[in-house]
């Protein structure tokens, strides 16, 4: 990718998405306190993103304690925060150009675990420049987290961000691997170390509130058709929450769309019950001699 123009419109939109996102992440993190409802924080953040001129790139993820990813409030959710470890993972797009960020708010008294993923992210970002092997980034993450006496979650990775695509190549591992890939100037990538007291491998739980379009096909049921119209118009292939659909009987409609392979779900990914997971994530644009962090606090 020689001579990428980092001043082009696409990168300006990546930056705009990052700027909106940094503000919303920091404000949302401030709202997380014992007794506050998950749904209140998620809906506030998603609305604030729109007010600032972006669109949510995926539903606000609120992962608690052993949960690592893909948890978002259900339409009628009444859960509130307790003395827990909370990970907020939020995405914004501007015309399909994305930014992705996450932060841990620790209400559980395990600051060290939150510090481990935060410091791992700083170390990872230090290594990024055109020509770096992704294995080197993973090694930096692993070294910091193990230095704290925890494990990185190895089956979750950072990722490239494409146009209307939230997960593209390259994967950014959270440990040293034997076969990495080389980063190039102009790539937009999300780096997201997870640190855990558990095994370092997450598995699928039973809860599922996030979905995405799998393939277009005609559906006969009226609600299903209505939902599919909304999905293709508003979300395209980006993930959406059950609570975002303006159709009656949302759960039944989603079940129907899943059965017909029109949408797929993202089950919550979690460690063993009783363990904790922290996460920190930034989006960066790779440059010749480093990177530009689009989601840094202003
Ligand atoms: Co991400």
């Amino acid at each position: 990718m020689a001579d990428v123009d980092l001043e082009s419109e696409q990168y300006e939109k990546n930056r705009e998405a990052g700027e909106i996102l940094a503000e919303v992440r920091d404000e949302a993190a401030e709202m997380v306190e014992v007794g506050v409802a998950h749904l209140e924080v998620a809906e506030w953040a998603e609305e604030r993103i729109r007010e600032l001129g972006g669109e949510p790139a995926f539903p606000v993820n609120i992962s608690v304690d052993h949960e690592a990813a893909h948890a978002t409030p259900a339409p009628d959710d009444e859960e509130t925060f307790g003395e827990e470890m909370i990970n907020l993972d939020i995405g914004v797009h501007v015309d399909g150009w994305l930014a992705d960020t996450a932060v841990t708010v620790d209400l559980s008294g395990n600051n060290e675990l939150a510090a481990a993923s935060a410091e791992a992210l700083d170390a990872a970002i230090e290594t990024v420049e055109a020509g770096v092997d992704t294995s080197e980034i993973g090694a930096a993450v692993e070294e910091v987290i193990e230095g704290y006496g925890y494990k990185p979650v190895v089956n979750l990775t950072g990722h490239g961000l494409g146009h209307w695509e939230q997960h593209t190549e390259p994967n950014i591992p959270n440990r040293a691997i034997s076969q990495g890939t080389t980063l190039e100037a102009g790539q937009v990538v999300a780096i997201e170390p997870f640190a855990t007291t558990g095994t370092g491998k997450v598995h699928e739980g039973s809860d599922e509130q996030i979905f995405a379009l799998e393939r277009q096909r005609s559906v006969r049921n009226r609600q299903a058709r209505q939902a599919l119209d909304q999905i293709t118009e508003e979300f395209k292939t980006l993930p959406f929450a059950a609570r975002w659909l303006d159709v009656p009987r949302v759960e039944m409609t989603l079940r129907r769309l899943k059965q017909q392979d029109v949408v797929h779900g993202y089950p919550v990914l979690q460690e063993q019950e009783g363990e904790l997971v922290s996460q920190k994530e930034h989006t960066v644009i790779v440059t010749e001699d480093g990177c530009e962090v689009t989601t840094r606090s202003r």
Side-chain angles (χ1 to χ4, degrees), residues 26-105:
D26 293 350
E27 290 175 358
E30 290 283 317
M31 289 175 72
V32 174
E33 285 178 38
V34 172
V36 171
H38 292 197
L39 190 57
E40 186 187 332
V41 173
E43 288 187 330
W44 179 87
E46 289 160 3
E47 198 41 49
R48 184 77 183 130
I49 288 167
R50 296 189 186 99
E51 272 172 25
L52 293 173
E55 287 290 330
F58 51 83
V60 169
N61 280 218
I62 299 179
S63 304
V64 177
D65 287 348
H66 67 297
E67 294 172 343
H70 300 167
T72 201
D76 53 356
D77 205 283
E78 290 182 345
E79 238 173 303
T80 56
F81 297 110
E83 290 177 348
E84 298 156 331
M85 180 160 282
I86 318 297
N87 300 325
L88 296 178
D89 192 336
I90 313 180
V92 167
H93 76 85
V94 172
D95 297 332
W97 300 104
L98 294 114
D100 188 350
T101 193
V103 69
T104 296
V105 181

Side-chain angles (χ1 to χ4, degrees), residues 58 89 100-101 157-159 161 166-167 190 192 279 281:
F58 51 83
D89 192 336
D100 188 350
T101 193
T157 65
H159 48 91
L161 294 168
Q166 196 230 332
H167 268 254
E192 50 181 324
Q279 174 196 17
E281 176 178 24

Side-chain angles (χ1 to χ4, degrees), residues 168-195:
T168 62
E169 293 294 307
N171 285 333
I172 312 291
N174 284 323
R175 60 167 166 175
I177 53 170
S178 51
Q179 282 284 336
T181 54
T182 306
L183 293 189
E184 293 172 26
Q187 282 180 318
V188 181
V189 295
I191 304 176
E192 50 181 324
F194 294 80

